[in-house]
Structures are given as C-alpha cells and as structure tokens.
Amino acid sequence: MEGAHEKLLHLSFEESAGNEETNSRLQSSKFIVWLQLFVFTFFVLGGQAAGTLLGRVYYEQGAKSRWIATLAQTAGFPILLPFLCYPSPKNHDDQQLSIDHQSSVLVRASVYIFLGLFQVANSMLFTVGVQYLPASTYSLISGSQLAFNALTSFFLNGQKITPIILNSVVLLSFSSSAIIFQDETGDGGEISHKSLLIGFAATTLGSLGYALQFSLTELAFQKVFKSGTLKVVMKMSFNIGMLVTIASLTGLLASGNWRDLEKEMREYRTGKLSYVMNLVCTAIAWQLYAVGSVGLVFKASSLFSNVIINLGTTIVPIFAMIFLKDEMSGLKVFSLLLGLWGYASYIYQHYLDDLEAKASEVKSLAEEEGNF
C-alpha cells in the first residue's frame, strides 16, 4: 500500500513537472511570435517611410518616369534569394509535405500568378485615381481600404470584429484620410465631372481590390500554404514581386520610356550615382515593406497588416519633417495621434485575446489534473 502511495506521488510530481515544462514552452512560443510581429511591423513602417521619402526625392531631383519609379518598388525581390536557398529545419511534417508537394505545385503557382496580376490591376486603378482626382479626395477614398478589409476579413477569414477592433478601424481610417481637411495647392484646378467619376470609380475599386487581396493572401495561407515556416513568406514575397516586376518592365518597354533613361540620369540634379542609389534603396525599402506586410498576414491576420500599413501613413510626415524639412502642421499631429490611438486599441484587443487564451490553457490543465 505504501509503495503504491509513493508511486502515485511520483507520478503526480512528474505530471506537475510536465505541466511546468508545457507552460514554459508556451510562454517561449508566444514571445517568439510577438518578436516576429515586432520585426515585421518594423519592416512595414521602416520600408513604407523610406520608400515614400525616396520616391519624393526621386521626383524633386528632376526625374520624371513613372514607370521607372513603379519598377523600383518591386524590383528588390532578388534580395530574398539567399533566404529561399537556405534549407528549412526538418520536422515531423516534412514527409507529408514532400508527398503533397508535387500535387500542389500547380495550385501554388496559380495562387502566385493570380495574386501578382491582382496586385498589378490594383496598382493601375490607384494610378488612374491619382491622375484624375484631387489629392484630398484621393486620400479620403483610399483611406477606406481598412474598412473594406475589415469586411472582407470577416466574410473570408472569419475575423472577429469586436467593439475595440471596430474602434481601431474607424480611428485609423480617419487618420489616414485627414488630408481632406488640408489646403492642397494642387486641388484648386477645375476637374470635369467625367474625370471625377473615372477617378472615384478607379480609386474605390482599387481600395476594395487591395482589401480583398490581403484577405485572399490570408486565405491562401490558411488553405494552400500550410508549412508553418517563415520561408513561405519569403516565397510569397519573391514570386509576387517577380511577377509584378515583369508586368512593370513590360509596361516600361511598351511605353517607350526606357529610351529616356540615359537622359533622365544625366539631368538628375545630384548626379548619376545618386540616381542609381536612390532606385536601389527604393527597391530594398519597398521589398522590406512587402515582406513585412505578408509576414503580418501570415503571423497575425490581413486586418492586422492593414492596421500597421495605415499607421505608417500617419507617421511618414514625421520622417519627412526630419529628413526633408517639411512643416509639421497641427492637422498632421492630429492625424498621428488618431493613428496611434487606433493602433493602441488594436494591440489592446490582441492583449485581451492573449489573456483569454492563457486562461483557457490554465483551465484545461486544471481539469486534466482534476481528472487524474
């Protein structure tokens, strides 16, 4: 009887030690996830700010080609090659993944092609919107992208829309659209009703398209790309970047703007080397942004990624004030505060979800111990 009691105590001790090890592993896993979210957020905000400012410098120094500027935004995909060539760590799912690989090649290629062409179409729609609409109107309409994404995430990805998330979406949408209240010198010209209609339709469809693209990317991760490793993020960014670059290069060649490239380099105010460095750094910046945005979709959700992107639009003026000596108006400060408030609301919701998940795990462990 005593031996049985000692054995029971020993098993109870082993069970307790096992629970502590499980809790420690869960805490470590959560820390890694939050660290990855931080890195991807840094990529999005840093890449968005750097790419935007470099694009502005490109035009201010005398360059004029929109096709070259567009090409530079996606041509940085080759920097991901070393990460694609690096072997992924082996795990117990590798055998099953290798079995499914051959049958899923066509499906994966179709997803890459569809998302790449979809991005090209959305970019073209926004280009038309910029051409036909005043800056304030364009900003107001494009700011609706986050609201559209909340809807597409709800229907396609099962995103839970809580009051806190709704508050975050509204605040960030307003913060990115606040420019409508700013006096823009370029908005004073008369614009025909037809141009306004074309610009409105193109920008609205572009906003809805980008929202849908983020939700479809998350759906692809849920249904097609199930490896669970960050390498799938690199593959997604590489393949889509390559497809969009090919489309932009085709547009550049078809437009004939490539013939003016040497002249544009010559007339660039700070010299040819500065011209090349601007394009190279622009390509790297936007590629980091692309990896970050896809990574946030992969590790969190499409809505989370869009929240970070909208936050980025409100902090770009700070970098413009520091590096380009822009004026920081009260409206920009108000927009920044709204953006930070919206971002804090969304992070608070993630914190509440984390606490709820932790409480559920503790309850589950307690029930297991009770049953024992």
Side-chain angles (χ1 to χ4, degrees), residues 237-263:
S237 301
F238 179 88
N239 287 296
I240 291 179
M242 180 175 63
L243 286 167
V244 177
T245 299
I246 291 172
S248 299
L249 189 59
T250 302
L252 174 65
L253 295 175
S255 67
N257 285 357
W258 59 273
R259 298 188 184 93
D260 300 327
L261 180 59
E262 187 176 351
K263 178 184 176 183

Side-chain angles (χ1 to χ4, degrees), residues 144-164:
S144 64
Q145 178 184 325
L146 183 58
F148 283 140
N149 185 241
L151 291 174
T152 56
S153 295
F154 176 77
F155 288 109
L156 294 179
N157 312 120
Q159 172 71 48
K160 182 173 65 174
I161 306 296
T162 66
I164 295 176

Side-chain angles (χ1 to χ4, degrees), residues 14-27:
E14 286 184 345
E15 181 73 18
S16 177
N19 289 340
E20 288 180 4
E21 184 181 351
T22 301
N23 284 335
S24 176
R25 193 159 52 243
L26 286 172
Q27 291 296 329

Side-chain angles (χ1 to χ4, degrees), residues 39-111:
V39 172
F40 286 136
T41 298
F42 177 78
F43 282 174
V44 170
L45 297 179
Q48 188 176 10
T52 302
L53 297 187
L54 286 169
R56 203 175 120 185
V57 170
Y58 171 81
Y59 288 112
E60 286 181 351
Q61 295 300 317
K64 299 175 182 177
S65 176
R66 289 184 179 272
W67 278 112
I68 293 291
T70 303
L71 182 63
Q73 293 179 16
T74 58
F77 70 91
I79 68 173
L80 300 179
L81 277 174
F83 301 99
L84 297 179
C85 297
Y86 188 79
S88 300
K90 300 292 182 181
N91 56 57
H92 66 280
D93 292 328
D94 281 346
Q95 186 176 0
Q96 183 62 38
L97 286 172
S98 62
I99 293 173
D100 294 340
H101 177 70
Q102 295 300 326
S103 61
S104 65
V105 166
L106 182 60
V107 176
R108 294 181 182 216
S110 301
V111 170

